[in-house]
Amino acid sequence: MKLLHLDSSVLGAASVSRRLTSEIVLRHQALHPGIEVISRDLAADPALHLSGAHLAAFQGSASEDALINADLVKGNAYMYELFAADILVIGAPMYNLSIPTPLKAWIDRIAVAGQTFRYTAGGPEGLLKNKKAFIASTRGGVYSAGSPAAALEHQESYLIGLLAFLGVTDVTVVRAEGMALGPEAKEAAVARALEDIAAIAA
């Protein structure tokens, strides 16, 4: 069994989403002794954002740009790691109502027609089957369903929709929100998230 662990927070050791992904990974290691973990720090080593040069290379044009070529190799590694993984653990703090740009750059490399999804007469079909995903979601405000700001939430909903589009429908969200509302609110949010992680079953 293999687990792909992705972090995207720019806060390093101060990141709550990184703490939560680490705890989720530890929980799976306890549940599945011997599980292989592949980790990617997307903030520390981000892919380039898509460009015309990338698209030309995808369509078969040769590139003489060393930076683009190295980035294409990185994108291929992303795809290989994703296909190999049985479990995905994604750290996704909310930045400006959505996800961090390094995580979006990763998505742009793995959401590829003909590889992770395909178009059919009945509509798009996800090709990633039999995978589980765990999203460590953190945010300063409160955006969960029923809150006044719920309509502004484009973080969890985007990731859940994207994963479903690719065929990953078994998704668990571990959430710590309202963390900018004071120390007590932050402590309580993290504590609830840690309880949810401890309840993850095999």
Side-chain angles (χ1 to χ4, degrees):
M1 182 173 285
K2 295 185 179 181
L3 182 153
L4 178 58
H5 171 195
L6 304 172
D7 278 318
S8 62
S9 169
V10 299
L11 296 180
S15 166
V16 173
S17 68
R18 288 175 182 270
R19 178 182 177 188
L20 298 183
T21 59
S22 178
E23 292 293 334
I24 294 170
V25 170
L26 288 172
R27 177 62 178 161
H28 282 292
Q29 288 175 320
L31 291 169
H32 309 286
I35 190 171
E36 180 182 345
V37 177
I38 300 170
S39 296
R40 282 274 182 182
D41 188 332
L42 300 176
D45 183 26
L48 298 176
H49 290 292
L50 284 182
S51 66
H54 286 92
L55 296 181
F58 294 159
Q59 294 169 3
S61 297
S63 170
E64 297 181 359
D65 186 321
L67 186 62
I68 292 294
N69 289 338
D71 200 60
L72 292 170
V73 170
K74 180 181 291 184
N76 289 338
Y78 286 173
M79 190 73 79
Y80 174 80
E81 292 163 357
L82 176 62
F83 279 126
D86 303 290
I87 299 171
L88 312 177
V89 177
I90 303 171
M94 176 185 274
Y95 288 177
N96 297 318
L97 308 180
S98 188
I99 62 172
T101 56
L103 181 54
K104 180 58 166 64
W106 179 83
I107 288 169
D108 287 341
R109 298 312 170 79
I110 59 88
V112 179
Q115 296 192 54
T116 52
F117 72 94
R118 65 184 175 188
Y119 293 109
T120 72
E125 176 189 359
L127 300 178
L128 299 180
K129 306 296 186 182
N130 303 315
K131 298 182 188 293
K132 292 183 178 182
F134 294 81
I135 298 170
S137 167
T138 56
R139 42 210 195 192
V142 177
Y143 299 88
S144 51
S147 70
L152 299 175
E153 190 280 301
H154 307 290
Q155 167 218 15
E156 292 177 11
S157 56
Y158 170 71
L159 286 173
I160 292 169
L162 182 281
L163 289 167
F165 184 82
L166 300 181
V168 182
T169 56
D170 188 346
V171 180
T172 299
V173 176
V174 175
R175 179 188 305 118
E177 67 176 352
M179 295 191 301
L181 303 181
E184 291 184 359
K186 179 178 181 179
E187 183 178 345
V190 173
R192 285 192 295 270
L194 293 175
E195 288 178 0
D196 291 340
I197 293 169
I200 292 173

